[in-house]
Amino acid sequence: MKQYSLLLLLFIFPTILLGDETNTKTLTDYESILRNAITQFETVFKSSPKKHDLVEQKVNFMINQAMKSEITFLIDVNGNQDLSAMGFVDFYNENKKPAIVIGTYFLDQFDKHPSIFYSALVHEFTHAYDFFNSQRYFIFYKNNRIVKALFEADAYAIESL
């Protein structure tokens, strides 16, 4: 009986400590979560009584770009590790359309912590806004570490607002 107890502990204890690492969600499930997350973000943002002008300008611009299909949202099923799993890509395919790539990490966390998703989305909206409004400077930013650091600092500042 002691052997069975030890064997049971070996199988159950790691699951209790580490959690179940297997993810059973499909891409379709994540698409639904993403649509819901973006819809909720827009609702929360528009119903907020007090917005910073810069944040409002950038978010409204990017919502309009998304509605016109000038930018797309992609799901990265391999982006499931941490907060770095969301990013802006200026040209993601042969159509030369920019995209905000969202890892499953953010989508898995959305129900419990929507503000994490919202903050990261505002950060990436800032990069996308910069791309749409100053493509020449944005290209320079990609190749210059100092300018890139300034763009990142700006995106963090907008995110914090």
Side-chain angles (χ1 to χ4, degrees):
M1 186 66 176
K2 187 176 181 181
Q3 292 166 334
Y4 290 115
S5 298
L6 182 60
L7 191 57
L8 191 59
L9 270 176
L10 288 175
F11 286 107
I12 294 176
F13 193 63
T15 304
I16 293 169
L17 280 180
L18 302 175
D20 186 6
E21 293 295 321
T22 60
N23 191 347
T24 58
K25 291 181 184 141
T26 66
L27 185 57
T28 303
D29 295 329
Y30 282 118
E31 288 170 352
S32 176
I33 295 168
L34 178 58
R35 271 192 294 286
N36 178 48
I38 291 172
T39 300
Q40 284 190 35
F41 169 79
E42 188 176 10
T43 301
V44 167
F45 184 77
K46 287 184 175 180
S47 67
S48 175
K50 191 173 184 180
K51 299 177 203 68
H52 191 280
D53 291 343
L54 267 176
V55 177
E56 187 170 23
Q57 175 186 352
K58 292 175 190 246
V59 168
N60 285 336
F61 179 84
M62 291 314 305
I63 288 172
N64 288 333
Q65 292 302 100
M67 292 171 113
K68 295 187 307 187
S69 298
E70 294 297 320
I71 190 167
T72 190
F73 296 90
L74 301 175
I75 298 169
D76 180 5
V77 294
N78 296 316
N80 60 0
Q81 299 302 315
D82 58 28
L83 292 174
S84 67
M86 190 182 294
F88 171 73
V89 182
D90 53 348
F91 297 123
Y92 79 91
N93 68 10
E94 67 278 354
N95 294 329
K96 306 278 189 230
K97 289 264 184 173
I100 293 178
V101 182
I102 301 168
T104 55
Y105 173 84
F106 284 98
L107 301 174
D108 286 333
Q109 299 295 317
F110 181 73
D111 280 340
K112 292 181 184 174
H113 308 288
S115 62
I116 294 172
F117 177 88
Y118 299 159
S119 294
L121 188 61
V122 168
H123 181 101
E124 299 312 328
F125 273 2
T126 301
H127 290 310
Y129 178 91
D130 292 339
F131 168 77
F132 279 104
N133 289 286
S134 183
Q135 286 187 14
R136 215 171 68 219
Y137 199 59
F138 187 87
I139 301 297
F140 177 67
Y141 137 81
K142 287 173 55 173
N143 299 313
N144 185 304
R145 288 185 344 199
I146 294 170
V147 176
K148 186 174 185 172
L150 294 172
F151 270 82
E152 280 300 320
D154 181 54
Y156 282 119
I158 297 298
E159 177 181 350
S160 70
L161 294 172

